[in-house]
Amino acid sequence: MTELSGLMSELERTLKPYRGDFPSFGKLPSGQVARAQVADLLDRLAGTEESRWREGFASGAVYHGDPDHIAFLNHAYAVHSQSNPLHPDLWPSASKFEAEIVSMTAHMLGADHAAPDEPVVGTVNSGGTESILLAMLAYRDFARERRGIERPEIVAPVTAHAAFDKAARFFGMPLVRVGVDREFKADLGELADAITDRTAVVVGSAPGFPHGVIDPIPQIAALAAERGVGCHVDACLGGFILPWARALGYQVPPFDFELAGVTSMSADTHKYGYAAKGTSVVLYRGRELRHFQYYTVTDWPGGLYLSPTFAGSRPGALSAACWAALVSIGESGYTEASRRILETGQRIREAVAATPGLYVLGDPLWVIAFGAEEGLDIYQVMENMGHRGWSLNGLQRPAAVHMAVTLRHAQPGVAERFAADLADSVAEVRANPELRTGLAPVYGMAAALPAELVRDVLTAYLDLLFEV
Ligand SMILES: Cc1ncc(COP(=O)(O)O)c(C=O)c1O
């Protein structure tokens, strides 16, 4: 427990200056704070945070980040900032943007292979989690209504994103987790055994968040089709990279609607689609599944109510910015961006492999997970990287760390800095093998403690985030 409390002190340490050194507003100011003063405060706050992600110290997080691109997205946002797709009569442009975002994403992901009576359709949502939640809800209600399953289940590899756990909990759907093989790909035998007459949907990731490994999607899709269940491919990370990786000659097995068994996909425009944060696309083969995520109310005194996703009012400005990103970057831009990311991914992978005591997990392309030999604490390596400015992602079961390569890392010198800092961080752990600081003991303990205890600490962590 004391080790876990380290999580809280780390967070307190991070948040303290933001609660103390800047003007704070626990209540509305009685008068007005001048706009110039507010703008100055906003600028100063952003200024303290910007350099780390801009200079390429963060795993994932900011996927493009060039100042020109950001200014362009900001313009799109600014001119559409009042737009709300809930009111298509007022903002038909928002509907145009969203229809075209869905269509462009669908065509990038194999929609041309779909039968004319089952076109690939979808919606624009707030992020990968919402896309996954919506798809799982649609499968649940489809399974209940069309297949007579009382308590429909999700079958997913342990590596599929935590959003599937969230869906399971929110929608009362049992989640059957299956193992992965030595390459961290879904174990097909276990997956086949887990599919029952209660299964609504089987999940594969392209690639999965933890290890950047692509599940055997052709086999999963074939299995799903054979057993008459849905197959959701989570391409939140890979949707905007894999099509171009293939065009560049990388070995990418089929993973999208090209495969007849794939019935839905999630692809995040706010990651490698290079849109501003807050958009993602969920796609379905055929309109029928999409209808199960819609919500309509016919007898409400407030009028006839209809909404395609979880939110009611939605930020049309984010859809405008997303549309602007897709159109301004285009196939050639995405191909070039993917080339730079994949080449940098290879360099990061080589840097890990060249560091004695570390090894790469699986056979990843640009999300590079690595572990450490017995006796070398990988979490302390992560912590020491943190002291050098890096923000990497801690993984567990097995203990590992990952680096999701973005365009920020493709800047000159970043991969070299990563390699040098990684070597130094490992050397430091070897020099002080007993020393555990910051989050290292937290991660070290979390896997060994009862889940309830860890959950309580995580809940307290979330509480702390909302304290003024
Ligand atoms: C494979 C995968 N799926 C889903 C998600 C969830 O996306 P979001 O954080 O946008 O909700 C992520 C996020 O990293 C992801 O990597």
Side-chain angles (χ1 to χ4, degrees), residues 58-102:
S59 165
V62 175
Y63 294 79
H64 192 298
D66 275 358
D68 286 356
H69 180 67
I70 295 174
F72 174 65
L73 296 187
N74 288 348
H75 173 77
Y77 188 99
V79 292
H80 286 272
S81 72
Q82 302 307 301
S83 155
N84 180 355
L86 191 65
H87 304 291
D89 57 327
L90 282 173
W91 290 287
S93 67
S95 162
K96 165 194 164 67
F97 295 142
E98 297 200 340
E100 293 180 15
I101 292 166
V102 168

Side-chain angles (χ1 to χ4, degrees), residues 112-393:
D112 291 339
H113 296 267
D117 59 337
E118 276 198 323
V120 176
V121 298
T123 59
V124 176
N125 318 302
S126 63
T129 299
E130 189 182 357
S131 288
I132 289 168
L133 291 175
L134 285 165
M136 296 304 108
L137 180 69
Y139 281 112
R140 185 195 71 178
D141 292 354
F142 176 88
R144 278 185 185 159
E145 237 176 80
R146 297 281 192 271
R147 297 175 52 213
I149 305 174
E150 212 172 299
R151 211 154 178 249
E153 296 179 358
I154 304 167
V155 174
V158 288
T159 45
H161 196 269
F164 293 96
D165 289 276
K166 210 175 199 178
R169 152 88 197 285
F170 285 3
F171 308 139
M173 300 175 81
L175 169 61
V176 183
R177 288 281 194 180
V178 301
V180 290
D181 63 17
R182 291 162 61 87
E183 290 287 292
F184 296 91
K185 294 180 181 171
D187 182 312
L188 288 169
E190 276 194 38
L191 199 84
D193 289 346
I195 301 176
T196 67
D197 52 13
R198 298 181 303 278
T199 305
V201 57
V202 176
V203 175
S205 306
F209 172 83
H211 316 110
V213 166
I214 306 172
D215 283 322
I217 306 293
Q219 292 83 347
I220 295 175
L223 204 57
E226 189 189 308
R227 307 286 287 273
V229 303
C231 172
H232 181 87
V233 176
D234 179 13
C236 280
L237 268 184
F240 281 84
I241 295 262
L242 294 177
W244 319 114
R246 184 183 291 158
L248 289 163
Y250 288 81
Q251 287 293 322
V252 177
F255 70 99
D256 61 18
F257 290 101
E258 176 188 349
L259 298 165
V262 171
T263 48
S264 62
M265 295 187 75
S266 37
D268 282 358
T269 37
H270 72 185
K271 293 192 176 83
Y272 295 98
Y274 311 125
K277 251 331 161 233
T279 62
S280 167
V281 174
V282 66
L283 297 170
Y284 299 101
R285 185 186 295 279
R287 292 195 174 85
E288 191 183 18
L289 261 177
R290 181 172 62 174
H291 290 170
F292 281 93
Q293 77 161 53
Y294 287 170
Y295 199 75
T296 55
V297 185
T298 57
D299 58 356
W300 179 43
L304 295 173
Y305 186 86
L306 57 160
S307 123
T309 63
F310 289 132
S313 290
R314 289 186 297 121
L318 286 181
S319 292
C322 175
W323 178 89
L326 297 186
V327 173
S328 68
I329 295 171
E331 286 192 4
S332 57
Y334 283 110
T335 307
E336 174 58 13
S338 299
R339 184 187 65 71
R340 294 177 63 205
I341 286 171
L342 292 161
E343 285 176 9
T344 309
Q346 180 60 27
R347 292 168 71 192
I348 296 293
R349 186 176 167 164
E350 284 165 9
V352 171
T355 309
L358 299 185
Y359 56 87
V360 173
L361 274 58
D363 184 19
L365 286 172
W366 76 98
V367 178
I368 314 297
F370 50 99
E373 67 187 19
E374 189 78 28
L376 183 64
D377 185 344
I378 189 66
Y379 298 131
Q380 191 60 45
V381 173
M382 175 173 82
E383 185 64 22
N384 294 351
M385 286 293 275
H387 301 160
R388 292 168 169 79
W390 294 91
S391 169
L392 304 181
N393 298 89

